[in-house]
Amino acid sequence: MIGGLFIYNHKGEVLISRVYRDDIGRNAVDAFRVNVIHARQQVRSPVTNIARTSFFHVKRSNIWLAAVTKQNVNAAMVFEFLYKMCDVMTAYFGKISEENIKNNFVLIYELLDEILDFGYPQNSETGALKTFITQTGIKSQSKEEQSQITSQVTGQIGWRREGIKYRRNELFLDVLESVNLLMSPQGQVLSAHVSGRVVMKSYLSGMPECKFGMNDKIVIDKQGKGGGNGCQSIAIDDCTFHQCVRLSKFDAERSISFIPPDGECELMRYRTTKDIILPFRVIPLVREVGRTKLEVKVVIKSNFKPSLLAQKIEVRIPTPLNTSGVQVICMKGKAKYKASENAIVWKIKRMAGMKESQISAEIELLPTNDKKKWARPPISMNFEVPFAPSGLKVRYLKVFEPKLNYSDHDVIKWVRYIGRSGIYETRC
Amino acid sequence: MEWANQLCENRQFGSKMTDSKYFTTTKKGEIFELKAELNSDKKEKKKEAVKKVIASMTVGKDVSALFPDVVNCMQTDNLELKKLVYLYLMNYAKSQPDMAIMAVNTFVKDCEDPNPLIRALAVRTMGCIRVDKITEYLCEPLRKCLKDEDPYVRKTAAVCVAKLHDINAQLVEDQGFLDTLKDLISDSNPMVVANAVAALSEIAESHPNSNLLDLNPQSINKLLTALNECTEWGQIFILDCLANYTPRDDRESQSICERVTPRLSHANSAVVLSAVKVLMKFMEMLPKDLDYYGTLLKKLAPPLVTLLSAEPELQYVALRNINLIVQKRPEILKHEMKVFFVKYNDPIYVKLEKLDIMIRLASQANIAQVLAELKEYATEVDVDFVRKAVRAIGRCAIKVEQSAERCVSTLLDLIQTKVNYVVQEAIVVIKDIFRKYPNKYESVIATLCENLDSLDEPEARAAMIWIVGEYAERIDNADELLESFLEGFHDESTQVQLQLLTAIVKLFLKKPTETQELVQQVLSLATQDSDNPDLRDRGYIYWRLLSTDPVAAKEVVLAEKPLISEETDLIEPTLLEELICHIGTLASVYHKPPSAFVEGSRGVMHKRLPARTGSGEGTECPDVGNAAGGSAPEAAPSIIPSQGDLLGDLLNLDLAPPTTTGPTPSTSGMQMGGMDLLGGGLESLLGGDIGGSPAMGAGFGAAPAVMPASLNAPVGGGLGDLFDLGGGVGMPMGAYIPPKTVWLPAMKAKGLEISGTFARRAGVIQMELVLTNKAMSVMTDFAIQFNRNSFGLAPAGPLQVLTPLGPNQTIEVSLPLSTVGPVMKMDPLNNLQVAVKNNIDVFYFSCQYPISMLFVEDGKMERQVFLATWKDIPNDNESQFQIQDCHLNSEAASNKLQGSNIFTIAKRTVEGQDMLYMSIKLSNGIWVLAELKVQAGNPNYTISLKCRAPEVSQCVFQCYEAVLKN
């Protein structure tokens, strides 16, 4: 299990050090600093073994978090824990920065004492932790309150406390997708997938039972043609759920039922690869004119309903390292050569569906005798569209609260779809 | 809401009030100031001071001098202050054990606090203080907390048992905490169950044979129920524990798999990977034709792919594991090639791993795509990645024959880029392609030769020289090319020197006329001017070959080369199996067994995959240890805790020997009646002791096929065998050699597997060994040694393994044993500890020999002496046993026993009951007297044994049983 946990600033100074196991000595702190943070070469693995001690690290802005062990621990668990640790800290004091960590070091030690016991991760749901780890300490609690806390921390529904009340029962569903594409210069799709998340913000009283439905092909097919009602169904390759979702029920009936945590949670993540709507097509044309000049022409085509608008469109066309000057002409939006990033960045604020736009550029090169050819990084694109490129539709989200008298109809529900570009690249 | 208020307060006060100021106090005399503040009357001031102390502690300053002052602050009702003091205590208690005692009272009091959070905090902290005196006081509170009414306290106490065990294992056992911990597995609260499982699993790791977790279908069911209810971390603990269980049969295996598969949809990647581990392991037991097996295979792919959309560090862990899974079961991900395509922004460690998996998945179906990708990668910037990509193209060529041509042309394109390291890498792989497809792509040699000058890495130079030597007859200026290398011969690395030597000799054999001078030059460079013995020796060999017999030289040097294999860097199958059992853990990330990076005994236990069973029938391979067969009694092969431990035993002979279970006989006894005619049979003929006419009863043939574990029948057939065979009755009777069992699995011995048995042939005890090399390298220099044992068994000569043992080769050796070695009593008596050495390492195992091996041929006692001795031995030394289900009549039994040097001296019949009196003499001179009662029609015999050394009785009885039943 985890033997110790250290947090360093970018210089390698220790901000937090908590040792859980006797086999981790004080010198482990320095070993990581010397061999990883101050290493001459870039670190080539997130797991490092130094003198039979293994270090797992993640970096958040310029803060290093390192977990140490001498045993054969579950490596996936250690990383999951480090991420969780970051989430918890963010929930308590915002951004993970040197200043925030120094400001809250007492709190961090308290958290570390609670969520890791002898190196075993314990309940780390912020909802539960906030009931009893406060920055001031617990002043007065009645006996009932105390046992309520402990039963929540150890209970089956560790993520939600009882007795929550809202005057207005409301919930927000965001379907957030990132569409990833790798396309060959000839327009052949090399790989494409959508990774999506369903984020739920709920402000519901009591312990509401929720049931979530979407146009999952397996469910729709099971219900027969009548239930489909012309609704396009989608094939989900795989999905994972927040720990509140009853997995065995999903496995057996493919129904998604749960009691949500209060406030925001990521209900579900999913991945699809079939029938993806690719919102944009990029057509590159690169021509080398002699040794000192390149001509680049890029066309983008939007491929969705004309009534919808894509936003924050950005096309990034990489340029060689020995570029000396660039002239750009674009039909729409603004384009600029950014020497520091070795790229031409073309920005368009809005673009409706089924439109086309073009940019052309002349790139002047300095003559070099470098034998190494320019690697020609792919042209990448960023955008945001108001639909789900996977085709996912929320069919229902039913809320039942048997003890309190509000019904499903009384809950105000909001659903929103946002499709963003993930790694959306076209080779040139 | 309180924390929110607090946040607001902090903001109001501004940065002045935040904790960061504690990091900045670096004045002199600081300790004094702190001391004063700690002893202040004001609570707030105290707390501030403790915070400062903790901050100094964090940055590595020694504040242990403040110990008494800080401990004084412990008695407080302020929980935050208490936690800070506890934190300090955990850090410094060890260096100030006497002072730490001051804290005990508060701890004990806190363990009784009405607030469960405080009770738990106290017991949690006490477990972290490694001071004997505190530990003593911990027992009572811990006992109470383990049975606390509050689940939060119980779950904390469960982990505390593991802490205590780490400090003082004996104490935990003596105090009975392990039993209480086991009870917690049935706790009503899932988190308590999860923590108890975690604690028990950890404790069990340091007691490999203790069976502490005692996993059985009932407890597994409890765990599976808790799995649905506990936190994500708890699910990981439970799944990791489940992975250590071996289901009894395929049905149980399937039902567990069914209940574990829902976990594949969990958001936590570690839960998913641990579930994959359980499934990969239990799948081994499912019959492949089962529908469910196919379903399960299909279910595994999507979650594995999903892991690749996690954060990069987790992706890395996932990819290292997928690499193993793909090697074990390529069918799972064979259609998922595209997801392993490298993304431009992937961190380098993800890129390199993806590349590895791409090559493993490359097949004829997807090779075009893969090649197009690899070509892209070869133009990237990261040198390591580019090299690997180029090498990958070569490996594709070797793996998929249809693609070889395309690969070669891609490589040629890459050589045209003239990027130095790309060219060198390409030449290295092209050499391998030539090896795989001889006489096919030689047209490219000209292009390769153009790049001779740019090669500066030894591997590339050696590869190029090899190519020139190999195809010397087609390269017009081969001699010039090689000569150019020869100029700086002494500056080259050994690899290049050796290659150059061989290449020039090849050239000479192909074009002897023009190159005589060159070959002489290289031979003298290698033999006279070099300090390297390898090079010198090779030079001399060539020199002699060439000067004595050029024809033979040609045959040797230009011999046809063995084909190179497709997959070059596959993990050894035994290691792979072990790593599959460690999916998700560090071992699977390093691709090394835990023993390679974990110190001490923890995690040294080797894990293996279970064997496939057909609904309770016998297992396919009896050597797979934990396969639980149906009805056949099967014991696991001797488990040796660790090499280190056993070595200790071999040296410190007083230590208790490792617990071992007997060797595993296969379910059906091997009948080897015919084989022993010249051995024991003839021997007894010469002995002149013919035990009457071998009239055989009808019920006699029904010798039970199943032999109980750890019983080995002795060798040596009586005359009965002769008659038996002559009469063509074909009864399964007579001399019997216990079936060979695996004594040392390849897993534990770096690929060397040893199985064997013992035999007594013509009065000589022999150990018959079968050595199998399951590793990838040749093994030589075998030797054997025994530990001191009960009867002084020792090898009578060296182990005769004259030829090196190549990979996948098996050799049978028989080792004569003497009984004059050093003696030490073993438990069990017939236990033998053996050390086998080869060029790789020394390995230890233990086995049990049938004691009948030691029954000497002159063991027939005079009747009178027998009577006298029988009376003389006190009755206390008599022991009685029952032999059940034996259908021999007394004559046949007597004959059978005689073959094993158990001599019948007299026979008496009383009331239809035959009483046989027998004598046995052991090699060390101990006499055993026996009385065997056989009643006609009753398959149960009674045997009474009398001996001056009653310890042997049990072993002797076992021999009786084994001999009579085979």
Side-chain angles (χ1 to χ4, degrees):
Chain A
M1 281 309 113
I2 298 173
L5 211 136
F6 308 131
I7 302 181
Y8 302 86
N9 66 8
H10 67 286
K11 283 185 258 174
E13 291 164 355
V14 199
L15 304 178
I16 297 285
S17 121
R18 175 75 162 91
V19 173
Y20 294 94
R21 297 262 173 164
D22 199 40
D23 54 2
I24 302 300
R26 188 85 213 171
N27 50 1
V29 188
D30 304 321
F32 182 76
R33 179 191 13 251
V34 172
N35 289 289
V36 179
I37 302 181
H38 292 168
R40 282 213 195 110
Q41 285 173 331
Q42 183 202 357
V43 188
R44 298 234 139 192
S45 155
V47 186
T48 325
N49 193 322
I50 307 161
R52 293 197 146 220
T53 310
S54 300
F55 294 81
F56 300 76
H57 73 266
V58 299
K59 239 184 131 181
R60 289 287 179 273
S61 58
N62 52 14
I63 297 295
W64 298 75
L65 283 94
V68 200
T69 184
K70 282 207 163 184
Q71 297 172 31
N72 182 30
V73 296
N74 188 321
M77 184 184 78
V78 176
F79 281 122
E80 282 285 3
F81 176 80
L82 287 173
Y83 301 144
K84 193 63 166 213
M85 173 82 207
C86 294
D87 291 349
V88 171
M89 290 197 291
T90 315
Y92 267 98
F93 52 75
K95 194 172 168 265
I96 296 176
S97 64
E98 183 171 350
E99 199 194 347
N100 276 343
I101 286 172
K102 281 185 169 174
N103 281 339
N104 293 285
F105 83 95
V106 174
L107 168 74
I108 295 175
Y109 275 124
E110 201 179 337
L111 283 170
L112 282 177
D113 198 39
E114 187 56 47
I115 58 180
L116 265 188
D117 191 4
F118 201 40
Y120 289 110
Q122 304 292 306
N123 193 340
S124 46
E125 284 299 310
T126 21
L129 289 172
K130 279 183 178 174
T131 59
F132 70 107
I133 294 193
T134 63
Q135 279 167 304
T136 47
I138 307 162
K139 277 169 197 152
S140 59
Q141 284 161 332
S142 70
K143 196 146 198 271
E144 289 97 75
E145 279 174 322
Q146 286 164 2
S147 71
Q148 203 189 326
I149 289 169
T150 57
S151 77
Q152 198 207 326
V153 174
T154 59
Q156 290 185 24
I157 307 166
W159 52 86
R160 189 182 181 93
R161 68 191 164 91
E162 296 213 32
I164 297 172
K165 278 207 180 70
Y166 287 100
R167 208 179 297 158
R168 211 160 100 118
N169 286 303
E170 212 172 0
L171 69 83
F172 301 85
L173 269 185
D174 280 348
V175 176
L176 306 171
E177 293 196 339
S178 84
V179 51
N180 298 278
L181 170 76
L182 185 62
M183 196 175 250
S184 76
Q186 292 76 33
Q188 187 194 1
V189 176
L190 295 173
S191 77
H193 75 272
V194 167
S195 55
R197 305 184 297 145
V198 178
V199 176
M200 178 171 169
K201 255 184 244 169
S202 66
Y203 304 100
L204 300 170
S205 310
M207 298 296 263
E209 262 303 323
C210 298
K211 211 172 164 187
F212 174 68
M214 55 186 174
N215 56 341
D216 177 2
K217 193 166 188 293
I218 297 173
V219 177
I220 305 255
D221 288 355
K222 223 197 273 176
Q223 285 169 347
K225 285 152 206 158
N229 202 15
C231 178
Q232 279 283 313
S233 62
I234 62 160
I236 292 178
D237 285 28
D238 188 37
C239 46
T240 60
F241 296 99
H242 185 265
Q243 60 167 323
C244 66
V245 176
R246 296 184 186 92
L247 294 180
S248 35
K249 209 152 177 193
F250 177 75
D251 195 57
E253 309 160 17
R254 223 174 155 85
S255 75
I256 304 165
S257 65
F258 53 95
I259 298 174
D262 193 38
E264 187 173 317
C265 85
E266 188 183 283
L267 182 64
M268 167 182 176
R269 272 179 188 236
Y270 57 91
R271 185 167 48 82
T272 71
T273 47
K274 287 198 193 74
D275 303 323
I276 294 170
I277 309 159
L278 295 170
F280 285 96
R281 165 88 205 274
V282 176
I283 305 156
L285 206 78
V286 180
R287 211 158 62 92
E288 285 178 47
V289 189
R291 283 184 63 86
T292 57
K293 202 168 156 192
L294 273 181
E295 274 181 16
V296 180
K297 196 174 109 181
V298 176
V299 180
I300 59 167
K301 284 183 182 170
S302 60
N303 176 34
F304 44 88
K305 266 193 252 166
S307 58
L308 298 174
L309 276 181
Q311 294 186 65
K312 301 179 190 166
I313 301 149
E314 188 185 290
V315 182
R316 190 170 278 267
I317 304 159
T319 55
L321 296 172
N322 54 339
T323 302
S324 60
V326 176
Q327 270 123 34
V328 218
I329 312 158
C330 60
M331 290 158 53
K332 221 179 155 194
K334 277 180 192 162
K336 229 186 204 168
Y337 166 64
K338 292 196 172 165
S340 60
E341 295 166 41
N342 288 312
I344 301 166
V345 181
W346 175 26
K347 285 185 181 168
I348 305 170
K349 275 194 186 137
R350 259 175 232 99
M351 186 166 173
M354 308 313 274
K355 289 265 163 49
E356 195 178 306
S357 193
Q358 193 184 5
I359 185 172
S360 44
E362 275 188 22
I363 302 170
E364 309 268 346
L365 302 174
L366 291 171
T368 57
N369 47 9
D370 194 358
K371 268 191 205 161
K372 219 154 78 178
K373 248 177 68 181
W374 177 45
R376 280 208 188 182
I379 296 175
S380 60
M381 219 190 143
N382 289 315
F383 54 80
E384 202 178 290
V385 288
F387 60 90
S390 69
L392 182 131
K393 291 261 161 39
V394 176
R395 289 174 58 220
Y396 56 82
L397 200 150
K398 292 178 197 154
V399 181
F400 311 93
E401 165 54 69
K403 282 187 198 151
L404 303 172
N405 52 352
Y406 69 91
S407 74
D408 185 39
H409 300 291
D410 304 332
V411 180
I412 306 158
K413 300 168 190 168
W414 307 86
V415 181
R416 171 165 75 154
Y417 298 91
I418 300 172
R420 290 198 183 98
S421 51
I423 294 166
Y424 203 85
E425 294 176 339
T426 306
R427 289 185 180 151
C428 59
Chain B
M1 272 308 166
E2 209 167 25
W3 64 276
N5 291 339
Q6 176 68 20
L7 261 182
C8 296
E9 265 173 46
N10 273 350
R11 285 214 190 97
Q12 279 167 9
F13 286 121
S15 60
K16 259 191 280 173
M17 276 304 287
T18 57
D19 290 343
S20 61
K21 63 174 184 285
Y22 304 119
F23 282 87
T24 51
T25 49
T26 48
K27 288 171 285 177
K28 272 186 185 172
E30 183 192 3
I31 298 276
F32 280 106
E33 270 174 42
L34 282 172
K35 212 176 176 82
E37 282 174 41
L38 284 170
N39 291 313
S40 154
D41 296 333
K42 285 179 196 155
K43 261 189 192 166
E44 272 311 300
K45 206 157 192 186
K46 259 189 187 175
K47 201 157 93 184
E48 297 292 294
V50 179
K51 280 188 184 179
K52 279 184 205 163
V53 172
I54 302 284
S56 315
M57 195 174 88
T58 299
V59 295
K61 266 183 239 164
D62 183 16
V63 282
S64 60
L66 295 166
F67 201 92
D69 309 278
V70 177
V71 171
N72 271 337
C73 304
M74 192 172 162
Q75 284 272 17
T76 172
D77 46 4
N78 183 315
L79 197 58
E80 194 189 358
L81 180 56
K82 191 173 271 244
K83 283 183 178 175
L84 287 172
V85 175
Y86 280 2
L87 190 63
Y88 179 89
L89 268 175
M90 283 187 265
N91 248 309
Y92 286 117
K94 215 174 157 188
S95 57
Q96 313 250 345
D98 296 328
M99 302 257 223
I101 296 300
M102 291 161 56
V104 163
N105 268 336
T106 320
F107 275 129
V108 174
K109 222 169 89 195
D110 279 358
C111 288
E112 306 268 335
D113 197 281
N115 185 344
L117 292 172
I118 294 192
R119 291 202 296 277
L121 177 65
V123 81
R124 186 165 68 207
T125 313
M126 267 180 108
C128 296
I129 297 180
R130 306 176 67 94
V131 173
D132 286 343
K133 281 176 192 153
I134 297 228
T135 314
E136 276 168 36
Y137 283 97
L138 174 60
C139 290
E140 277 322 300
L142 178 58
R143 198 186 313 283
K144 272 187 210 151
C145 288
L146 279 167
K147 299 203 165 131
D148 200 286
E149 52 173 27
D150 194 292
Y152 183 77
V153 180
R154 289 202 301 277
K155 71 115 184 161
T156 311
V159 175
C160 192
V161 175
K163 291 180 191 168
L164 188 58
H165 186 270
D166 191 41
I167 303 172
N168 189 343
Q170 196 57 45
L171 189 67
V172 170
E173 279 171 42
D174 296 345
Q175 295 277 338
F177 284 137
L178 293 181
D179 292 324
T180 324
L181 200 54
K182 276 189 210 164
D183 293 342
L184 288 184
I185 290 195
S186 316
D187 199 282
S188 58
N189 184 296
M191 195 154 172
V192 177
V193 178
N195 276 5
V197 167
L200 275 174
S201 305
E202 176 165 347
I203 296 172
E205 259 182 39
S206 46
H207 297 273
N209 294 327
S210 63
N211 196 23
L212 198 57
L213 273 161
D214 189 29
L215 295 175
N216 55 49
Q218 287 79 37
S219 59
I220 291 292
N221 198 31
K222 277 178 205 155
L223 293 184
L224 286 169
T225 312
L227 187 60
N228 286 324
E229 294 165 352
C230 61
T231 64
E232 46 195 326
W233 314 115
Q235 296 186 20
I236 300 170
F237 305 153
I238 292 178
L239 287 168
D240 283 351
C241 171
L242 270 181
N244 291 326
Y245 176 65
T246 309
R248 287 163 310 167
D249 52 37
D250 52 338
R251 257 171 267 132
E252 191 189 1
S253 179
Q254 178 175 347
S255 84
I256 295 177
C257 288
E258 277 165 358
R259 292 178 70 180
V260 166
T261 31
R263 298 297 122 198
L264 294 175
S265 309
H266 202 287
N268 187 314
S269 310
V271 175
V272 176
L273 267 179
S274 292
V276 168
K277 165 165 60 190
V278 174
L279 297 175
M280 281 294 286
K281 196 178 163 191
F282 288 11
M283 239 165 120
E284 287 290 311
M285 290 184 70
L286 300 177
K288 283 197 169 164
D289 48 356
L290 196 70
D291 285 347
Y292 182 70
Y293 179 84
T295 320
L296 197 55
L297 273 184
K298 272 194 210 116
K299 277 194 173 171
L300 276 170
L304 287 174
V305 173
T306 298
L307 291 176
L308 297 185
S309 43
E311 287 85 346
E313 292 88 4
L314 265 176
Q315 274 188 55
Y316 174 71
V317 174
L319 285 164
R320 294 292 285 174
N321 279 288
I322 289 172
N323 198 326
L324 298 173
I325 293 168
V326 165
Q327 287 184 55
K328 182 73 193 162
R329 297 190 179 278
E331 64 270 31
I332 295 178
L333 288 166
K334 66 179 174 206
H335 299 303
E336 303 289 350
M337 171 62 92
K338 276 189 179 178
V339 299
F340 297 103
F341 285 178
V342 170
K343 293 186 189 132
Y344 190 70
N345 305 349
D346 282 337
I348 183 68
Y349 51 82
V350 168
K351 283 185 178 172
L352 292 172
E353 291 307 315
K354 281 188 174 173
L355 198 51
D356 246 350
I357 295 167
M358 278 173 69
I359 302 162
R360 295 209 193 284
L361 290 178
S363 67
Q364 206 185 332
N366 56 25
I367 194 73
Q369 265 185 331
V370 173
L371 267 183
E373 280 295 305
L374 292 176
K375 205 176 166 184
E376 286 289 334
Y377 305 160
T379 58
E380 283 244 20
V381 247
D382 190 284
V383 177
D384 283 348
F385 180 61
V386 171
R387 281 174 179 275
K388 202 161 182 173
V390 175
R391 211 162 267 232
I393 296 174
R395 276 169 64 187
C396 285
I398 291 165
K399 199 172 170 191
V400 185
E401 184 162 3
Q402 292 79 358
S403 75
E405 193 155 350
R406 219 165 344 162
C407 293
V408 172
S409 77
T410 308
L411 287 170
L412 282 181
D413 286 350
L414 290 173
I415 289 176
Q416 298 304 345
T417 63
K418 304 277 178 200
V419 177
N420 190 285
Y421 53 86
V422 174
V423 173
Q424 308 210 36
E425 208 62 47
I427 286 181
V428 173
V429 292
I430 285 180
K431 181 202 78 176
D432 286 342
I433 296 176
F434 283 172
R435 277 290 301 274
K436 173 82 180 179
Y437 310 108
N439 306 317
K440 221 167 162 189
Y441 301 109
E442 284 68 32
S443 51
V444 307
I445 290 175
T447 322
L448 301 184
C449 290
E450 288 165 19
N451 293 289
L452 267 182
D453 303 334
S454 62
L455 307 180
D456 53 11
E457 290 160 22
E459 204 184 350
R461 286 173 83 83
M464 192 63 221
I465 294 169
W466 182 88
I467 293 171
V468 175
E470 189 65 20
Y471 297 99
E473 67 273 30
R474 306 179 194 210
I475 306 171
D476 296 335
N477 59 345
D479 49 344
E480 281 169 38
L481 292 175
L482 292 177
E483 199 170 0
S484 69
F485 280 106
L486 207 55
E487 281 161 18
F489 188 78
H490 288 300
D491 301 328
E492 300 283 5
S493 75
T494 312
Q495 188 186 10
V496 180
Q497 290 175 331
L498 287 168
Q499 203 53 261
L500 193 52
L501 173 60
T502 306
I504 292 178
V505 173
K506 280 184 196 163
L507 172 70
F508 172 71
L509 290 169
K510 287 174 179 173
K511 302 180 180 173
T513 44
E514 309 112 82
T515 56
Q516 200 148 9
E517 204 174 308
L518 192 62
V519 80
Q520 257 162 8
Q521 198 183 344
V522 76
L523 285 175
S524 79
L525 276 172
T527 54
Q528 284 159 22
D529 303 340
S530 170
D531 298 333
N532 184 330
D534 282 349
L535 185 63
R536 245 177 9 227
D537 286 355
R538 195 187 284 194
Y540 279 126
I541 290 171
Y542 284 142
W543 204 324
R544 266 174 223 153
L545 262 175
L546 292 175
S547 54
T548 49
D549 189 353
V551 182
K554 210 163 185 166
E555 270 169 32
V556 172
V557 179
L558 302 180
E560 208 164 296
K561 279 162 250 350
L563 277 184
I564 56 171
S565 71
E566 280 178 19
E567 305 268 359
T568 42
D569 55 351
L570 284 180
I571 294 176
E572 216 185 303
T574 42
L575 177 60
L576 182 62
E577 283 207 352
E578 186 179 0
L579 292 179
I580 290 285
C581 297
H582 286 294
I583 283 178
T585 69
L586 263 180
S588 70
V589 174
Y590 294 146
H591 289 186
K592 281 179 191 160
S595 52
F597 59 88
V598 175
E599 272 167 14
S601 61
R602 253 190 205 139
V604 174
M605 265 275 283
H606 289 285
K607 294 188 180 176
R608 298 188 74 173
L609 292 175
R612 207 174 294 280
T613 58
S615 344
E617 288 157 28
T619 48
E620 279 171 37
C621 30
D623 64 328
V624 176
N626 19 12
S631 57
E634 270 191 291
S638 323
I639 293 164
I640 296 180
S642 74
Q643 293 186 0
D645 287 0
L646 190 70
L647 189 63
D649 282 352
L650 282 169
L651 298 173
N652 297 312
L653 299 162
D654 308 328
L655 286 180
T659 43
T660 52
T661 11
T664 326
S666 69
T667 44
S668 64
M670 257 193 290
Q671 307 302 334
M672 304 182 94
M675 236 185 81
D676 218 56
L677 284 176
L678 291 176
L682 204 60
E683 189 67 17
S684 37
L685 259 181
L686 293 172
D689 196 280
I690 300 164
S693 105
M696 294 177 195
F700 170 77
V706 177
M707 198 185 77
S710 79
L711 290 189
N712 293 323
V715 173
L719 188 65
D721 293 357
L722 283 171
F723 279 101
D724 187 19
L725 291 166
V729 191
M731 291 288 176
M733 138 142 205
Y736 158 87
I737 302 173
K740 293 203 167 83
T741 52
V742 177
W743 285 332
L744 180 70
M747 192 72 239
K748 289 195 188 122
K750 303 185 179 165
L752 173 65
E753 187 184 88
I754 301 183
S755 60
T757 183
F758 292 92
R760 187 181 179 93
R761 295 182 200 282
V764 177
I765 306 165
Q766 283 177 330
M767 185 179 194
E768 300 186 338
L769 295 150
V770 179
L771 310 177
T772 309
N773 181 355
K774 293 195 172 171
M776 298 191 165
S777 57
V778 175
M779 295 179 179
T780 55
D781 306 334
F782 285 93
I784 194 164
Q785 210 163 17
F786 293 173
N787 193 3
R788 287 201 268 173
N789 54 69
S790 316
F791 295 96
L793 282 176
L799 190 62
Q800 300 285 335
V801 186
L802 299 174
T803 46
L805 194 56
N808 283 323
Q809 252 185 326
T810 295
I811 191 168
E812 297 198 20
V813 210
S814 123
L815 178 74
L817 306 182
S818 72
T819 52
V820 294
V823 175
M824 180 189 61
K825 196 179 158 195
M826 300 295 290
D827 182 32
L829 210 58
N830 56 344
N831 194 19
L832 181 66
Q833 294 177 335
V834 184
V836 170
K837 183 191 88 88
N838 64 11
N839 58 329
I840 297 166
D841 205 344
V842 184
F843 310 105
Y844 303 93
F845 63 88
S846 68
C847 56
Q848 290 179 15
Y849 48 88
I851 202 169
S852 57
M853 241 171 48
L854 305 165
F855 298 170
V856 294
E857 282 69 21
D858 60 345
K860 182 158 185 168
M861 217 178 223
E862 291 297 319
R863 278 187 187 218
Q864 295 306 322
V865 184
F866 184 92
L867 270 174
T869 318
W870 185 271
K871 283 183 191 156
D872 200 36
I873 299 176
N875 280 343
D876 291 352
N877 281 9
E878 182 174 342
S879 30
Q880 236 181 33
F881 302 93
Q882 291 279 332
I883 300 174
Q884 300 193 331
D885 277 337
C886 190
H887 296 277
L888 303 173
N889 63 16
S890 58
E891 290 277 338
S894 163
N895 282 334
K896 243 189 162 181
L897 291 167
Q898 181 133 13
S900 304
N901 295 338
I902 302 175
F903 300 96
T904 308
I905 294 159
K907 181 180 158 187
R908 199 151 66 102
T909 310
V910 185
E911 294 162 5
Q913 197 173 24
D914 290 338
M915 315 275 272
L916 299 172
Y917 295 94
M918 310 181 199
S919 70
I920 300 162
K921 188 183 170 189
L922 294 178
S923 56
N924 57 355
I926 293 179
W927 285 90
V928 182
L929 310 184
E931 180 194 61
L932 187 68
K933 290 180 198 158
V934 183
Q935 201 163 18
N938 183 355
N940 296 346
Y941 298 176
T942 309
I943 181 166
S944 303
L945 293 172
K946 261 193 162 184
C947 178
R948 288 213 159 81
E951 301 93 314
V952 301
S953 300
Q954 180 68 33
C955 290
V956 172
F957 158 67
Q958 286 169 0
C959 287
Y960 262 94
E961 201 164 31
V963 173
L964 287 174
K965 290 191 176 177
N966 281 289

